Structure formats: C-alpha cells, structure tokens
Amino acid sequence: IVPESDRVPPLFFESTDPEDGQREYAQWLERYGVDAVFVAHPKVGKWTKELGLTVGRDLGVAGSSITDSGFDSGVDQRPYEIGEVAVQYLVRMVESNEFGIPKIPQRLLISPTWVSGSSLKR
C-alpha cells in the first residue's frame, strides 16, 4: 500500500465551466508533478495540448474508454462484442418465444481489457 503522503489525490472539478476546468487541471498537474493520468473527461486531450504538453512524451494519458476518449491507451470496454452477444441473446429469446419482463432478470457481462498504446509514456 502506498502511504497517503505519496498519493496523488484525484482531480474532481469544482466548476462546470471548461475554462475553469482547464485552469484546475493545469494547477493539479503542476502541483503534483504527475507523469501520467487516467481520464474520463472529454476535454483533457485538448487541455493537455493547449498547455504545450505532448501526450505520450510529456504526459502519459489513458482513457476510461478507448472508444470514446480519443486516446489509444486505457480500457477497451469491447463495445462490439457486447453488441454481438446482446443480439445473440435477443435471437435466443425470440426463438424461445420469450416475451415481457423475465421473472428472473439476467445480466450480460463482457470483461474489458487494458490497452497500452502510444498515449502512454514508455
């Protein structure tokens, strides 16, 4: 376990204003001297570039979804596989004459994978 004094606190934005967010992001990067971030915010790539930093060289960036984040590193939530299995499930329901709300609900889980791409520093 990493001692609390050595941990970088997560950045939670105080404002919904993008300009405030960029300022908070820049201050957080400077204060903690991080070399990589894991992000879900859609503006981080733009802000990083506007701060004069190069993703993958100056700052490693990984997204919570490589499909949506614009980064090639992070979590691959496998959306195509989810869609494929969902269609197979629907076909089985139709073939079995299943209609309405099931008595016992079922959940579909496709495990995500981690992808280390060029947006992370080597």
Side-chain angles (χ1 to χ4, degrees):
I1 296 179
V2 177
E4 191 170 339
S5 61
D6 292 338
R7 297 180 206 166
V8 174
L11 173 60
F12 296 108
F13 296 100
E14 299 292 324
S15 171
T16 58
D17 183 320
E19 288 183 23
D20 290 340
Q22 183 175 12
R23 189 170 27 261
E24 291 175 45
Y25 175 61
Q27 290 170 348
W28 180 81
L29 286 175
E30 186 175 332
R31 179 174 182 187
Y32 295 104
V34 299
D35 58 3
V37 294
F38 181 72
V39 302
H41 196 289
K43 300 249 184 204
V44 168
K46 179 178 180 262
W47 293 343
T48 302
K49 188 175 184 178
E50 288 174 359
L51 291 170
L53 300 172
T54 301
V55 170
R57 187 186 73 206
D58 303 319
L59 181 69
V61 182
S64 59
S65 169
I66 61 171
T67 305
D68 303 324
S69 70
F71 302 108
D72 64 353
S73 301
V75 180
D76 180 358
Q77 297 181 6
R78 300 181 174 187
Y80 300 105
E81 289 80 359
I82 291 171
E84 181 180 344
V85 173
V87 169
Q88 292 170 354
Y89 184 77
L90 181 60
V91 167
R92 185 195 58 77
M93 288 177 66
V94 170
E95 288 175 343
S96 301
N97 250 353
E98 293 181 36
F99 297 97
I101 298 172
K103 290 180 183 176
I104 301 172
Q106 295 180 358
R107 304 288 184 257
L108 170 66
L109 173 65
I110 301 295
S111 295
T113 58
W114 180 260
V115 177
S116 293
S118 65
S119 65
L120 286 177
K121 296 165 80 172
R122 295 281 175 225

